[in-house]
Amino acid sequence: MAGRTEAMVAEICGEFPRFGIVYKRNSLFSRVLDVALRAVTLGGQCHYMTKFHTVIGSTLYVPDCWDEMSDVDRVITLRHERVHLRQSRRYTAVGMAFLYLVPLLPLGLAYGRARLEWEAYAETVRATAELRGLACAEDPALRRHIIAQFLGPTYGWMWPFRAQLERWYDELLAEVRREAEAAEA
């Protein structure tokens, strides 16, 4: 791990002493979850093992691409996942599982999952602005990518209301801009 990543992992371990990083390929649970996600999304979520990072309990399960990610990209990912660690502490493991899987529907209208991911993706945008610059956070490609996570099979079509997602993203960017301006002042 490079410098920023090591510092971020140390910071997370200070807050979550049991935190650890495990490669998904070494996790039977991850391999089983991959098969289940492919089944329930009719193949729509076919990148769980290769592109997605997942916090369960105090463990971050990472795909093999973790090794090829830049130091900054790993820190942005760790900041996103730290949000989920904090959520898990706040709601407990059982509460997180319930929020992630039940309200309202497991697929197509998953308000609980959407709320959890809104909070984490907001941190992704903030971290991007801080580490890569405001222009990168404002990049339409990042916006498309994040909104697609809510609308598509990645998270089981968790929130189908594009206009609401667009408003959320616009409000988030406005807040991030204000934070960046305040930091410059």
Side-chain angles (χ1 to χ4, degrees), residues 15-89:
E15 188 174 351
F16 300 94
R18 298 182 65 205
F19 177 71
I21 298 174
V22 172
Y23 286 91
K24 286 184 174 187
R25 69 173 133 72
N26 297 332
S27 165
L28 176 61
F29 179 75
S30 290
R31 293 192 308 270
V32 169
L33 190 54
D34 178 55
V35 171
L37 288 170
R38 287 172 189 262
V40 299
T41 63
L42 304 174
Q45 174 45 298
C46 59
H47 301 290
Y48 174 78
M49 292 291 288
T50 58
K51 294 184 181 177
F52 288 87
H53 303 82
T54 308
V55 162
I56 299 173
S58 60
T59 303
L60 171 59
Y61 295 89
V62 299
D64 287 343
C65 69
W66 178 256
D67 294 331
E68 288 105 45
M69 292 172 68
S70 73
D71 193 33
V72 168
D73 286 338
R74 282 194 302 263
V75 171
I76 291 168
T77 298
L78 286 164
R79 285 183 54 177
H80 174 109
E81 299 303 339
R82 181 175 58 185
V83 169
H84 292 312
L85 289 164
R86 289 173 175 165
Q87 292 167 335
S88 185
R89 180 177 56 207

Side-chain angles (χ1 to χ4, degrees), residues 137-150:
E138 294 173 327
D139 186 339
L142 180 62
R143 176 192 186 99
R144 282 190 304 275
H145 169 75
I146 290 175
I147 289 175
Q149 303 311 299
F150 290 85

Side-chain angles (χ1 to χ4, degrees), residues 104-161:
L104 299 169
L105 301 171
L107 296 173
L109 190 61
Y111 180 75
R113 185 176 324 129
R115 293 298 306 169
L116 295 170
E117 291 301 337
W118 274 320
E119 191 177 336
Y121 277 110
E123 183 62 15
T124 296
V125 174
R126 279 189 178 85
T128 300
E130 290 172 25
L131 298 170
R132 293 211 178 277
L134 188 56
C136 289
E138 294 173 327
D139 186 339
L142 180 62
R143 176 192 186 99
R144 282 190 304 275
H145 169 75
I146 290 175
I147 289 175
Q149 303 311 299
F150 290 85
L151 296 171
T154 302
Y155 290 93
W157 304 274
M158 68 181 156
W159 201 247
F161 307 109

